[in-house]
Amino acid sequence: MEMFNRFEVFQMDVLKEVGNIGAGNAATALSQLLNRPIDMGVPTVQMLPFEEVAEKVGGDERIVVTVFLRVEGEAPGNLFFMMTPEAAKMLLNRLAGFDLKEGLDFTDMEQSALSEIGNILAGSYLSSLADFTKLSMYPTVPGLAIDMAGAILSYGLLQFGEMGDAALLIDTSFFEGEDQVEGQFFLIPDPPSFAKIFESLGVPLSYD
């Protein structure tokens, strides 16, 4: 817990600013993609242990729509953008104009649109973090999964190798008029990457 306390005390203001700038950049990019005004709310930013990631989206057995990708560069890690199927359908309907049916089925075009939205979010937040840390960080091509949160995280462990023991959570809200869609954006740096991020922000990370 000491690591989380130190991060909160010394760096949370910086991370909140990263979230704010990333949200603004993402809203601009989404507006250009969809050719309509899209706003994003002020995000809630926090650090949490990796084992609490699934709890934040309703538990290991909660079905979620997830855009996932690998972060490469000087501070590699893994990134997940998770939302409920209901939120994903509302996002597609309200923001992208898709006429959707109830259930867990998404057409190839709908899945492609969700992947592109997740890719825009990832690029916006990673660019903001890279600007603050002066570290090179960039996303790979995203994948899309619809499954239980625990299964998706376990797949990430198998696909990408060892996960870091902490995650940066950015709660994201999309607005168009009075409609609101929420999702959770998790950046899970590889264990060595946390030290780089801390040091780049002026606080060496000690594991003692």
Side-chain angles (χ1 to χ4, degrees):
M1 287 298 296
E2 180 181 356
M3 180 177 70
F4 296 105
N5 291 336
R6 291 188 64 198
F7 209 108
E8 182 175 358
V9 169
F10 291 105
Q11 306 301 336
M12 195 51 64
D13 286 344
V14 173
L15 292 179
K16 288 179 180 177
E17 188 62 19
V18 168
N20 290 336
I21 294 175
N25 292 341
T28 298
L30 287 172
S31 296
Q32 293 174 346
L33 174 69
L34 301 173
N35 196 30
R36 60 199 301 179
I38 302 297
D39 294 321
M40 294 184 68
V42 176
T44 301
V45 180
Q46 67 181 105
M47 294 294 301
L48 71 159
F50 172 75
E51 59 266 22
E52 294 182 12
V53 169
E55 295 178 19
K56 284 294 182 179
V57 294
D60 284 340
E61 297 184 357
R62 182 68 165 95
I63 299 295
V64 289
V65 177
T66 303
V67 177
F68 60 93
L69 51 86
R70 178 72 179 165
V71 178
E72 296 183 344
E74 294 178 290
N78 302 299
L79 187 149
F80 299 84
F81 177 59
M82 295 184 172
M83 67 184 92
T84 66
E86 295 80 9
K89 286 182 178 290
M90 185 180 295
L91 180 67
L92 290 172
N93 178 258
R94 298 290 190 271
L95 269 61
F98 285 91
D99 186 14
L100 302 166
K101 298 180 180 179
E102 295 183 1
L104 298 177
D105 293 331
F106 291 84
T107 67
D108 289 345
M109 184 176 294
E110 292 159 2
Q111 292 183 40
S112 178
L114 287 171
S115 293
E116 182 60 22
I117 290 171
N119 196 35
I120 287 172
L121 283 172
S124 298
Y125 287 125
L126 287 178
S127 293
S128 299
L129 186 57
D131 287 342
F132 270 91
T133 62
K134 307 304 180 185
L135 296 172
S136 172
M137 302 173 69
Y138 51 91
T140 62
V141 176
L144 183 74
I146 303 171
D147 204 339
M148 293 185 294
I152 289 173
L153 293 170
S154 295
Y155 172 79
L157 285 170
L158 293 173
Q159 182 79 4
F160 301 125
E162 180 184 4
M163 291 277 193
D165 59 1
L168 169 63
L169 164 63
I170 301 176
D171 272 319
T172 302
S173 298
F174 303 84
F175 294 89
E176 185 189 37
E178 297 182 355
D179 294 320
Q180 178 177 345
V181 181
E182 296 183 352
Q184 284 78 37
F185 175 94
F186 299 95
L187 173 62
I188 307 172
D190 291 354
S193 298
F194 251 117
K196 291 182 180 180
I197 292 173
F198 264 86
E199 290 168 3
S200 70
L201 295 173
V203 181
L205 180 60
S206 172
Y207 292 98
D208 298 334

